[in-house]
């Protein structure tokens, strides 16, 4: 058999890895409500600016956020397509699971009907 | 201000980190269709069994899967609550984003109505 793991796109690896950090998830939550500058985004954290900027680069690297620079201010926005991609992957697994539970229910109901007590 | 990152539960860090690996995502996909033994799960991969078992431990550690042992056979099942937890987090961000776009639409429509050309 061929190794199955290679079937998954690397992008989703990076999206889930990016979301595994609480600071990065927090930035995504804040950008859901609207765009923000680096200094606004960095303000709530007790973190050196270069460390915080590294988190922003991880988010931008996997396409969860985009940025543009006007003058000296770089502004970040959420790019919701990648969030949707990860959400859809999770939703597919849940639906498969629910379909399986429905089939199991139907089977148990059929057994019950065939053998009334 | 207090650091915001601490507000996120560590569980979701572990769930997203677990899902950032293609082998582990693949195991979740396969368990969505029904439970399976370690040897069935391991069969498609070109990987030493201890390495594969380490992936299963990561999935079980964050609650994405559960296992039980009967005789010498350990069987794994999906535990969909944690998948749902991650899916809900992603869905919340998307809904916030969509609500923001709706407000923007409404605002642009209002501007257009106030200043007909």
């Amino acid at each position: 058999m061929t190794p199955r793991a290679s079937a998954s796109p690397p992008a989703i690896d990076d999206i889930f890895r990016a979301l595994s950090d609480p600071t990065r998830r927090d930035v995504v939550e804040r950008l859901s409500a609207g765009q923000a500058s680096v200094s606004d985004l960095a303000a709530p954290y007790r973190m050196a600016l270069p460390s915080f900027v590294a988190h922003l680069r991880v988010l931008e690297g996997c396409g969860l956020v985009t940025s543009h620079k006007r003058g000296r201010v770089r502004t970040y926005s959420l790019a919701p397509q990648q969030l949707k991609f990860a959400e859809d992957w999770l939703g597919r697994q849940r639906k498969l699971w629910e379909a399986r539970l429905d089939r199991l229910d139907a089977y148990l109901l059929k057994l019950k009907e065939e053998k009334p007590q």
Side-chain angles (χ1 to χ4, degrees), chain A:
Chain A
M1 262 187 271
T2 53
R4 299 175 50 116
S6 61
S8 299
I12 200 164
D13 288 25
D14 296 340
I15 296 167
F16 282 128
R17 194 172 299 115
L19 293 173
S20 71
D21 179 273
T23 301
R24 293 195 292 258
R25 271 201 315 284
D26 198 40
V27 168
V28 167
E29 289 192 11
R30 291 165 65 205
L31 291 178
S32 297
Q35 60 179 30
S37 69
V38 175
S39 55
D40 283 349
L41 287 171
Y45 305 103
R46 286 183 199 156
M47 194 182 296
L49 190 62
S51 307
F52 184 74
V53 168
H55 282 308
L56 292 177
R57 286 213 190 97
V58 171
L59 288 171
E60 194 163 15
C62 70
L64 280 167
V65 308
T66 55
S67 74
H68 65 273
K69 201 168 185 178
R70 181 173 293 181
R72 294 182 61 182
V73 178
R74 181 170 289 278
T75 302
Y76 280 83
S77 307
L78 191 68
Q81 297 85 347
Q82 297 292 70
L83 273 184
K84 186 79 175 65
F85 188 48
E87 188 189 356
D88 287 348
W89 186 87
L90 292 164
R92 271 199 305 280
Q93 313 320 315
R94 184 179 43 77
K95 279 170 202 152
L96 280 170
W97 172 265
E98 286 171 355
R100 188 177 157 257
L101 288 191
D102 287 346
R103 284 195 304 274
L104 191 64
D105 269 355
Y107 175 70
L108 293 176
L109 198 65
K110 192 161 165 268
L111 279 189
K112 206 178 163 190
E113 284 169 357
E114 286 174 359
K115 298 186 184 177
Q117 289 177 339

